[in-house]
Amino acid sequence: MRIWRRRVQRVTTELLKSASQAAISGNGGILAGPDISSTVEHVLATTPFIDIHTHLFAPSFGKLVLWGIDELLTYHYLEAEYFRHSGASPEDYWALPKREQADAIWRTLFVETSPISEASRGVIAVLQAFGLPTDHTALEEARSFFKAQSPDSHIQRVLQMANVSTVVMTNDPLDPDEFPFWLNGSAGHPQFRAVLRLDRILCTWHDHWQSIVAQGYNVDAQASGASVSEVRRFLMEWYARMQPVYMACSLPPTFEFPSDSIGGRLLRDAVLPACRELRLAFSLMIGARKLVNPRLRIGGDAVGRADLRCLENLCRDFPSNRFLVSVLSRENQHELCVFARKFSNLMPFGCWWFVNNASIVEEITRERIEMLGTSFIPQHSDARVLEQVVYKWANTRRTLAPILSENYRLLAGDGRGVTRADIQRDVTRLFRSNAEAWLDLRPAAAR
Ligand code: RAT
Ligand code: ZN
């Protein structure tokens, strides 16, 4: 982070110099070739992102708020890598207290090997950002540092370091750990906005319909009779409580629409009408094959290629609904761009989980720019541990810089010079305005 700040200072000085030269030569602020990259870097560094999908929680969610080195090390992306490198039995690992799990991961992935994977480099980048040692002795000092932080000021500092203005949470009204916080009314926070997540309703109804009954709604195992209107009432009441900025569901690659399954009916007859009435977008994250290795718990999901005709059908048959979509399979990315060109009620977002690696992010982002210009949301962090936003957003800015610069140079070569104002407008669109147009970010009082 200090490196990034120094870079911003250097780039600012260069920009001031070239701006005064441009004024003297009277070229209307058109950037000369060599100034394009430095301007892009500066604009990327100074424009705050709206992080439209995370698993972070506002400070009022107590034990659900994850931060600090032990949480960073036990991130499920790293747990999966740990099992691979160590050959340890998952059952033995799960039996350990968190601190010992973190010790084991540190030893295996950070001491006995070089932390060069995307997720392990992220931990190193976080240590570096806080001015902590990054060598194999770093763990204890990092623990003392994070222990000494007070949560509220630490949260503010981290969001500032990542230059993120708003984070969107993932809020499951049927999660027994989470819903008491909502019922106690302790959830509001201007920078942490809610999302009404519906996986348990749309994907695993049979395991969860009784929890909806327990909340006072008249639904049954087959979602028959009054169930659809009761689910709709459930959504409206949770909307009033959470003030979500959209509704969402993660779906398997086998997801089809239309479908006579319970999930298909509830989506068509309860969720989509509620989204229309509330003017909320519906987010589909498609492609996770749940628990292919259940011994790895949350790290045990894999990926599958989906048939995106489900999106074609949704976007065409429900033109008054808006769909925010991320797909997990690399093979589905091009198709998603094609559908976005056909349907303006479809907004591609983010490079998710197994496609959130610099090489694949670069490929996807280039493709999106070539096919969609600036009409997409390039990234979300999917952070689960607070400090992850620092490295995830630094990575995004680093990957975007050469891609945008190259596109502006191509544009200049084709005959249209670019100004700083052009670049700022485009980056603002990618980082903020597209999200502002698709998410209901108004404060509760203004709804
Ligand atoms: O990327 C992840 O952390 C996954 O575990 C999933 O949570 C995914 O992001 C999702 O929201 O379903
Ligand atoms: Zn997620």
Side-chain angles (χ1 to χ4, degrees):
M1 199 43 52
R2 275 179 305 168
I3 294 175
W4 189 255
R5 213 172 293 132
R6 273 204 301 275
R7 203 179 172 118
V8 172
Q9 274 160 5
R10 182 178 54 72
V11 168
T12 307
T13 317
E14 283 167 14
L15 282 171
L16 289 173
K17 221 163 49 190
S18 68
S20 56
Q21 275 160 4
I24 293 162
S25 63
N27 68 357
I30 301 290
L31 296 165
D35 295 331
I36 290 178
S37 296
S38 51
T39 307
V40 165
E41 281 185 28
H42 189 262
V43 171
L44 287 173
T46 53
T47 308
F49 245 107
I50 296 174
D51 192 344
I52 75 158
H53 170 61
T54 77
H55 298 265
L56 300 177
F57 285 97
S60 58
F61 284 81
K63 66 177 182 335
L64 299 183
V65 181
L66 303 183
W67 56 287
I69 189 66
D70 288 347
E71 298 294 350
L72 287 166
L73 288 170
T74 52
Y75 184 31
H76 72 85
Y77 291 24
L78 287 174
E79 287 175 334
E81 291 174 29
Y82 164 73
F83 293 129
R84 176 157 191 80
H85 277 80
S86 67
S89 122
E91 291 71 23
D92 291 347
Y93 172 84
W94 301 124
L96 297 173
K98 172 138 304 177
R99 191 185 166 95
E100 287 175 38
Q101 292 176 340
D103 284 339
I105 292 184
W106 178 259
R107 198 170 46 248
T108 303
L109 297 182
F110 293 81
V111 178
E112 292 168 3
T113 184
S114 298
I116 55 175
S117 73
E118 177 84 7
S120 51
R121 259 196 305 109
V123 175
I124 298 297
V126 169
L127 294 174
Q128 151 94 359
F130 285 101
L132 293 164
T134 58
D135 64 10
H136 65 277
T137 65
L139 186 54
E140 289 316 317
E141 190 170 334
R143 279 187 171 133
S144 324
F145 169 80
F146 286 111
K147 200 165 161 213
Q149 306 308 308
S150 76
D152 286 340
S153 57
H154 184 60
I155 289 173
Q156 287 316 313
R157 180 179 177 195
V158 169
L159 294 183
Q160 245 166 32
M161 287 166 78
N163 202 7
V164 168
S165 62
T166 310
V167 292
V168 176
M169 307 182 281
T170 296
N171 305 104
D172 182 345
L174 297 179
D175 181 339
D177 290 331
E178 182 175 343
F179 82 74
F181 287 100
W182 291 106
L183 297 184
N184 295 337
S186 61
H189 189 288
Q191 280 178 287
F192 289 78
R193 306 302 301 272
V195 156
L196 186 44
R197 178 93 169 211
L198 304 176
D199 298 25
R200 292 183 206 223
I201 296 175
L202 294 179
C203 301
T204 48
W205 176 262
H206 284 300
D207 298 330
H208 295 106
W209 66 273
Q210 278 159 321
S211 320
I212 304 182
V213 173
Q215 288 191 27
Y217 300 88
N218 179 22
V219 299
D220 61 36
Q222 301 312 320
S224 60
S227 295
V228 168
S229 57
E230 283 294 272
V231 168
R232 197 145 162 199
R233 184 166 73 87
F234 173 93
L235 296 175
M236 294 315 232
E237 290 180 359
W238 274 98
Y239 171 83
R241 197 172 281 132
M242 272 185 186
Q243 300 290 307
V245 297
Y246 59 85
M247 296 193 201
C249 188
S250 161
L251 295 153
T254 49
F255 171 66
E256 289 178 341
F257 191 91
S259 152
D260 275 336
S261 64
I262 290 178
R265 286 194 286 116
L266 291 174
L267 176 58
R268 185 192 61 209
D269 298 334
V271 176
L272 295 180
C275 286
R276 286 196 294 275
E277 185 177 337
L278 298 166
R279 296 174 183 277
L280 290 186
F282 182 61
S283 162
L284 302 97
M285 298 180 78
I286 308 175
R289 295 183 56 227
K290 294 283 175 202
L291 293 180
V292 297
N293 184 353
R295 295 175 70 204
L296 266 51
R297 299 192 179 171
I298 189 180
D301 297 357
V303 58
R305 182 184 181 151
D307 179 350
L308 294 191
R309 273 177 298 183
C310 56
L311 288 182
E312 175 185 332
N313 296 335
L314 280 165
C315 292
R316 189 193 51 239
D317 295 349
F318 297 92
S320 312
N321 281 95
R322 288 169 305 133
F323 301 96
L324 275 163
V325 178
S326 206
V327 285
L328 190 54
S329 162
R330 184 181 178 191
E331 288 72 22
N332 278 136
Q333 303 297 332
H334 179 251
E335 217 177 338
L336 178 63
C337 289
V338 174
F339 282 126
R341 289 175 66 91
K342 306 299 133 195
F343 298 106
S344 58
N345 58 339
L346 170 59
M347 174 62 83
F349 78 93
C351 301
W352 169 33
W353 203 349
F354 310 120
V355 290
N356 188 7
N357 300 314
S359 59
I360 307 182
V361 173
E362 181 175 344
E363 169 188 299
I364 294 172
T365 308
R366 284 183 186 281
E367 185 170 65
R368 287 177 176 171
I369 290 177
E370 284 162 357
M371 295 179 77
L372 305 172
T374 55
S375 66
F376 66 98
I377 297 173
Q379 193 52 300
H380 65 273
S381 76
D382 236 313
R384 286 176 184 269
V385 183
L386 177 68
E387 297 85 1
Q388 288 173 337
V389 291
V390 172
Y391 83 83
K392 287 181 182 246
W393 286 115
N395 287 353
T396 297
R397 290 182 165 98
R398 185 169 56 198
T399 307
L400 278 174
I403 301 174
L404 285 178
S405 302
E406 191 189 320
N407 277 284
Y408 288 126
R409 271 195 294 273
L410 289 171
L411 180 61
D414 285 341
R416 164 76 87 88
V418 290
T419 65
R420 183 180 211 284
D422 294 331
I423 296 173
Q424 181 66 67
R425 178 203 53 213
D426 296 346
V427 171
T428 300
R429 208 167 268 170
L430 292 166
F431 280 27
R432 308 188 57 77
S433 325
N434 290 336
E436 281 161 353
W438 278 67
L439 276 48
D440 187 353
L441 290 164
R442 288 172 302 161
R447 290 188 177 203

